Amino acid sequence: MKKSKVELLSLPEELLLYILSFLPWQDILRCTSLCKALRQAYMSSSELQYITELGGQQLLPVFGGHISFSKHLQLLRDKLHAWSKLDIHSFEAISIPEQFCTRTEVTIVSGHACFWKPSMHSCKIFPILPKSLQQSIERDFSPDSLCSVPGQTQSDFDVLNVFIDPVQNLLAIVYVTVIGNGNMVYDEDYYIDLVALDGDGAHPQAAGRTLFLSDLPTHEDFITKSTKIEGFGRHIALRLFDDQPCTPTFASRWWLQIWDWQHSTTSNSILSGPIIDPDFDEIDICFLGNDRFLIVSDHLKLYSIEDMSQAPRLLACFSWPVPFMNLRCFTPTDDIARSSHPQIQAPQVTWISNPEHRLLSLVTRYPDLHFVISTRIFFEPDFVDSEGPATIPWESWGPENTRAFPHQFSCKLAVSGSRALYAFAAAGVQIDDSTEYRLHLMDFSPLAVKRHHQQGLGRMVNEPVYGRTYREEGINDDIIEMWLDRDKLYLLKDRFDIDKMDRFEVIEF
């Protein structure tokens, strides 16, 4: 008996589209070049075009809501062309509270401005543009409200740092209890409190209100110089430096611990190491997703944090072309989805950055450079799945995955998803107290800005696409910091006029 064959093109179109939807986006595009029938099927399907648009822009879908695929597709295509609509002179100005205008650490997270003033142990968070958020948070935290040590007053503890995540409604507070001995004050015990931003109690998803540190040297051997707390999803990391002077017999040290804060208040995920010169050899940290972690130092050291019951496992070391000092890593404002709290995000947000295809920004001193690094290199199986951790020379990974730009006082660089924005003052240009700035936008995603207008297919590109150049008309204003979000550019301006406070300028596009 002769067996019958069912050819792909003989299937009903609905079933054919369903089968194609399981293919990677690159394979869907390849299928469109095989024959007219497959191309026509693709052109009739908003779902397949949406899949290829997501992949080409290096995004992942966020499920939820009842928006059609055609609407999703239009939003994505509008996003790709958004920069053609950018007007640097059309902005909304938001004044900064006077008490936070000096010596304040500022971050932008999920449409919220977060201020931390270490000298006053005070913290403030507020939505920059509340109308663009479904739900927003506005809180002031006084020194007394930042610590929950029973029976102790403000003089009994020292708040070292805070981490704010509006998407998870989370405020993490790093503090140390102190004891006095005559005129000497010693650090005693370190803690991290996890509280809800919109309330005064412990965070409802936390395993407990307080995270406890393990295996930290005693205060006689370990005096805090600086701290950094970083979070991503269910993970929180704390980095500490000691402040001991370097001697032939003693090197300063850094210490790091990572918690799965939703499941345990303790952790065995601990790393530490020496610091040869504490004035220059700063150690920075960065999450690359829920299972990978990066330590920025003399090398880029990639760790696996899948098993939180033990120390992070070193996967690979990526070497620099030359030695650098004072390396700092900056996390994008629109980081990958951190939790199941989408109500704080804008209702039209239906995609997130792919952790394997996004950009990191690093700043180095001596030489002064901005680095833009594609995270894809940290997921390449040829590098990180080899037997034992390998040291990858710069020539094997750097030229194809990084871009470097001069870093000076007037230069700023921000990254968001697969895009980077570089701002710098034009050399020697000063006209009527106005400064000319140049903005360069680079898009590292596979889809170029130019498209086939009729077919609607993307064109693959290998080099960054540079955007327009603008003149910024300001009056003795200086850009203190810059953040790039999905559809907004945030500029923190320094107002030199004594009667004017610092302010945010928010440009929507």
Side-chain angles (χ1 to χ4, degrees):
M1 182 176 179
K2 189 176 180 179
K3 294 183 179 180
S4 61
K5 294 183 179 179
V6 179
E7 295 183 358
L8 181 65
L9 297 180
S10 66
L11 297 174
E13 183 175 288
E14 184 176 318
L15 182 56
L16 175 62
L17 296 176
Y18 179 74
I19 293 174
L20 292 176
S21 68
F22 287 95
L23 295 177
W25 69 274
Q26 299 96 327
D27 291 339
I28 294 177
L29 284 181
R30 292 188 183 101
C31 287
T32 64
S33 63
L34 295 178
C35 65
K36 291 183 179 180
L38 286 175
R39 181 176 181 77
Q40 184 60 40
Y42 172 83
M43 295 303 300
S44 67
S45 172
S46 296
E47 180 179 2
L48 291 184
Q49 294 180 59
Y50 176 60
I51 293 172
T52 59
E53 195 78 29
L54 274 174
Q57 294 193 41
Q58 299 177 333
L59 302 171
L60 296 175
V62 174
F63 299 99
H66 303 284
I67 304 177
S68 65
F69 281 111
S70 60
K71 180 63 175 177
H72 282 313
L73 181 61
Q74 187 59 51
L75 289 172
L76 268 181
R77 288 177 174 171
D78 290 345
K79 172 185 181 293
L80 198 61
H81 295 284
W83 280 94
S84 64
K85 307 172 186 177
L86 175 65
D87 182 1
I88 197 70
H89 303 293
S90 177
F91 58 83
E92 187 166 347
I94 295 94
S95 297
I96 296 175
E98 187 173 1
Q99 69 269 30
F100 290 101
C101 286
T102 58
R103 299 183 180 274
T104 302
E105 298 177 15
V106 185
T107 56
I108 302 292
V109 184
S110 304
H112 291 74
C114 309
F115 294 87
W116 160 240
K117 198 173 185 67
S119 61
M120 297 176 60
H121 289 177
S122 59
C123 177
K124 181 179 180 64
I125 176 173
F126 65 88
I128 299 180
L129 296 176
K131 63 183 180 182
S132 64
L133 301 172
Q134 284 183 285
Q135 181 176 331
S136 59
I137 297 173
E138 184 167 359
R139 290 290 303 274
D140 280 287
F141 293 92
S142 64
D144 289 334
S145 66
L146 285 175
C147 185
S148 65
V149 181
Q152 291 192 334
T153 64
Q154 181 181 341
S155 61
D156 297 325
F157 65 88
D158 188 14
V159 178
L160 304 177
N161 214 329
V162 297
F163 169 75
I164 297 176
D165 184 354
V167 176
Q168 296 197 108
N169 190 29
L170 173 66
L171 171 64
I173 307 149
V174 184
Y175 63 95
V176 58
T177 58
V178 296
I179 57 174
N181 182 9
N183 294 326
M184 301 294 293
V185 177
Y186 298 101
D187 296 345
E188 181 66 13
D189 294 309
Y190 296 79
Y191 303 94
I192 301 177
D193 271 11
L194 308 176
V195 300
L197 275 173
D198 60 0
D200 297 322
H203 194 282
Q205 291 182 293
R209 179 176 178 118
T210 303
L211 300 179
F212 300 94
L213 281 68
S214 307
D215 297 334
L216 185 67
T218 60
H219 62 266
E220 290 87 355
D221 300 322
F222 197 94
I223 303 175
T224 303
K225 176 183 178 183
S226 66
T227 65
K228 180 174 183 179
I229 181 170
E230 192 68 53
F232 185 90
R234 58 188 176 86
H235 293 121
I236 282 180
L238 175 66
R239 181 219 62 194
L240 298 174
F241 285 158
D242 69 18
D243 199 17
Q244 296 285 358
C246 291
T247 66
T249 59
F250 180 81
S252 296
R253 297 188 64 81
W254 60 270
W255 182 93
L256 171 76
Q257 184 163 0
I258 308 173
W259 291 263
D260 181 344
W261 61 273
Q262 296 181 3
H263 295 90
S264 177
T265 59
T266 60
S267 171
N268 293 319
S269 187
I270 303 170
L271 291 172
S272 63
I275 301 174
I276 304 303
D277 188 340
D279 292 328
F280 296 102
D281 295 342
E282 186 166 353
I283 308 296
D284 213 342
I285 57 178
C286 176
F287 284 99
L288 297 177
N290 287 316
D291 61 349
R292 303 201 177 192
F293 189 83
L294 196 66
I295 291 183
V296 181
S297 60
D298 54 338
H299 291 73
L300 292 178
K301 298 178 181 179
L302 179 67
Y303 289 87
S304 168
I305 53 173
E306 289 183 298
D307 186 357
M308 294 294 293
S309 65
Q310 59 185 14
R313 179 170 61 91
L314 181 63
L315 298 176
C317 294
F318 298 84
S319 65
W320 292 110
V322 295
F324 292 123
M325 297 180 181
N326 281 5
L327 286 155
R328 294 186 62 200
C329 181
F330 294 90
T331 305
T333 63
D334 71 336
D335 252 344
I336 318 158
R338 306 177 185 216
S339 72
S340 57
H341 293 273
Q343 68 273 13
I344 302 217
Q345 308 223 5
Q348 70 270 23
V349 174
T350 56
W351 51 78
I352 55 176
S353 299
N354 188 332
E356 299 183 18
H357 296 283
R358 56 193 276 259
L359 300 178
L360 296 179
S361 171
L362 294 179
V363 174
T364 72
R365 297 289 188 184
Y366 312 109
D368 294 336
L369 291 173
H370 276 294
F371 275 97
V372 175
I373 301 177
S374 171
T375 58
R376 68 180 181 180
I377 189 63
F378 304 120
F379 294 87
E380 287 286 346
D382 292 342
F383 289 149
V384 300
D385 287 348
S386 58
E387 294 183 3
T391 298
I392 315 300
W394 168 261
E395 295 77 12
S396 298
W397 75 274
E400 293 186 1
N401 296 279
T402 65
R403 296 292 185 272
F405 308 91
H407 170 60
Q408 299 172 350
F409 178 77
S410 59
C411 299
K412 305 298 177 184
L413 190 143
V415 294
S416 175
S418 62
R419 287 175 172 173
L421 184 66
Y422 181 54
F424 59 96
V429 177
Q430 193 77 23
I431 306 173
D432 298 330
D433 292 331
S434 297
T435 302
E436 183 180 356
Y437 286 90
R438 295 169 64 90
L439 299 182
H440 280 183
L441 174 71
M442 295 154 283
D443 192 338
F444 290 78
S445 67
L447 280 184
V449 173
K450 294 183 178 179
R451 313 173 61 81
H452 299 289
H453 296 291
Q454 294 182 348
Q455 292 83 359
L457 298 177
R459 184 175 67 182
M460 305 298 290
V461 294
N462 296 319
E463 294 296 326
V465 179
Y466 286 84
R468 297 157 52 194
T469 299
Y470 305 90
R471 172 175 290 185
E472 159 73 302
E473 300 292 347
I475 303 177
N476 289 331
D477 288 356
D478 184 31
I479 299 177
I480 301 174
E481 194 53 80
M482 178 177 72
W483 296 267
L484 179 64
D485 212 336
R486 292 182 178 91
D487 56 359
K488 297 181 183 66
L489 172 61
Y490 301 92
L491 300 175
L492 179 58
K493 293 287 193 73
D494 182 7
R495 307 292 299 206
F496 291 103
D497 294 347
I498 192 170
D499 297 327
K500 295 182 179 180
M501 294 187 297
D502 295 350
R503 71 180 188 186
F504 283 113
E505 289 181 4
V506 185
I507 304 167
E508 295 191 76
F509 49 90

